[in-house]
Amino acid sequence: MQLPVTKYANRTVHRLAILVVCLTWPLIWVGGMVTTYDAGMAVPDWPNTYGYNLFLYPYKTWLLGPFDLFMEHGHRLLGALLGFTAIGLVIAAWRSENRRWVKGITLLILLAVIIQGGLGGIRVVLGDRTFAMIHGSTAPIVFALTVIGMVVTSRWWFRYSKPQSEPDSTEPNTTPHEDAPAIKLPKLAKGSVATVTLLILTCYLQLILGARLRHLQPTGSATGFLHTATLHVMLAFALWLLVVIAWSRLRKCGDLTLSRPGQALIGLVGVQILLGIGTWVVHYGWPDFLGWFPGSEGYVIESKNYVNALLVTSHVATGSLILAVSTFVWVRILRVRNLNMASAASKTAS
């Protein structure tokens, strides 16, 4: 029994998948700045911008106008660029990708981008903070989906697979993979998939809690806010523990392409905790247990301070990045696990 392997990675499809990923994270950054600056209603209509077509709005008014308008309209333009790139990814995949399920993933990415844009539009039309919270909570899902598309179209996906035939010289944008049957599949520690799955779920729950804290409802209670904030802090340290456990299991597999992303997650979560403390400080002042820190006495909370806004937005964007990297690791270990299972079944059958 041979491993169920597709032939080759397509360069064009993979490069477009990378571009989609590279556009999604900056879009999350800009969206975070829009929320931090309360600029979500800087443009009161949608899909137009003050009655103009989105792409025909006077650039001087946009670039030289108020900063709120610059961010909100820029957020829409960047979202449109992501949408066009996702359409290009679908077209390229359906023209040259021979795996139907990968074609389905590209369609799912495009659908997610469209839904995300629609949620943002509904938030503007209705002026509803609940939709703003939903819009902020679904953005990391879109990011994770784009990462999945990037991984399954990469050369790494075929790394442990021996080509069954030579590539068709008439097929454009194909890259033959080295014939390397001697490469040994990594041995994953027991529970690696379950640990990373739990890590992803915990990370996303953190993002939802963070969205609730950022989009407070006028009818919300102080007790509800306190409970949400407390759970958010507790899960932050639980997330760090899960990351350490995941890395400790991945580092024994012998494949740096699996263990190094796990090691990077430890640093990202550590940075995220520090950013979370900074976000609390710029919003609510220094907590009592950090009263010894230099500068804590006499600290004044500033509204719409640019540096503070960057710190808060960094906290939001890094949370999405942690989810994306966790998804990156998860898809790769699923690939290795499935190949290990197929290899074991082949040896048993023979």
Side-chain angles (χ1 to χ4, degrees), residues 131-166:
F131 274 99
M133 181 181 68
I134 296 173
H135 184 58
S137 300
T138 52
I141 296 178
V142 178
F143 194 17
L145 282 174
T146 64
V147 169
I148 293 174
M150 180 184 68
V151 175
V152 300
T153 59
S154 67
R155 295 187 65 180
W156 181 94
W157 190 261
F158 305 91
R159 174 178 176 180
Y160 304 104
S161 306
K162 178 181 178 181
Q164 297 175 357
S165 62
E166 291 299 321

Side-chain angles (χ1 to χ4, degrees), residues 202 205-206 209 230-241:
T202 305
L205 178 57
Q206 273 288 77
L209 293 173
T230 302
L231 182 58
H232 190 59
V233 172
M234 292 174 61
L235 282 181
F237 291 97
L239 185 65
W240 203 1
L241 178 61

Side-chain angles (χ1 to χ4, degrees), residues 25-181:
W25 198 42
L27 187 61
I28 292 175
W29 266 92
V30 178
M33 286 292 287
V34 167
T35 299
T36 303
Y37 263 86
D38 292 326
M41 297 302 294
V43 181
D45 55 340
W46 184 87
N48 295 326
T49 299
Y50 287 102
Y52 287 88
N53 179 284
L54 172 66
F55 305 104
L56 300 178
Y57 187 69
Y59 72 92
K60 289 185 179 180
T61 305
W62 168 50
L63 294 175
L64 303 178
F67 189 58
D68 290 5
L69 171 62
F70 172 78
M71 287 190 300
E72 172 61 12
H73 186 62
H75 185 55
R76 296 184 182 191
L77 290 175
L78 187 56
L81 178 60
L82 174 61
F84 289 137
T85 307
I87 292 173
L89 174 62
V90 170
I91 294 173
W94 281 76
R95 290 185 61 184
S96 57
E97 176 60 60
N98 59 351
R99 294 170 292 174
R100 291 184 179 180
W101 61 273
V102 173
K103 296 178 181 179
I105 288 176
T106 62
L107 279 174
L108 185 60
I109 291 172
L110 176 59
L111 180 62
V113 170
I114 293 172
I115 292 175
Q116 181 68 359
L119 288 172
I122 293 173
R123 182 264 185 274
V124 172
V125 172
L126 300 181
D128 192 340
R129 294 185 67 88
T130 299
F131 274 99
M133 181 181 68
I134 296 173
H135 184 58
S137 300
T138 52
I141 296 178
V142 178
F143 194 17
L145 282 174
T146 64
V147 169
I148 293 174
M150 180 184 68
V151 175
V152 300
T153 59
S154 67
R155 295 187 65 180
W156 181 94
W157 190 261
F158 305 91
R159 174 178 176 180
Y160 304 104
S161 306
K162 178 181 178 181
Q164 297 175 357
S165 62
E166 291 299 321
D168 185 356
S169 60
T170 63
E171 184 181 356
N173 299 319
T174 56
T175 302
H177 290 267
E178 296 180 359
D179 188 351

Side-chain angles (χ1 to χ4, degrees), residues 299-323:
Y299 176 76
V300 177
I301 299 175
E302 299 182 47
S303 176
K304 293 190 175 182
N305 177 284
Y306 183 72
V307 175
N308 291 350
L310 279 178
L311 188 150
V312 174
T313 305
S314 298
H315 184 56
V316 175
T318 303
S320 293
L321 182 61
I322 292 171
L323 180 67

Side-chain angles (χ1 to χ4, degrees), residues 225-249:
F225 170 81
L226 181 60
H227 289 166
T228 302
T230 302
L231 182 58
H232 190 59
V233 172
M234 292 174 61
L235 282 181
F237 291 97
L239 185 65
W240 203 1
L241 178 61
L242 281 172
V243 165
V244 172
I245 294 174
W247 173 73
S248 67
R249 292 181 174 179

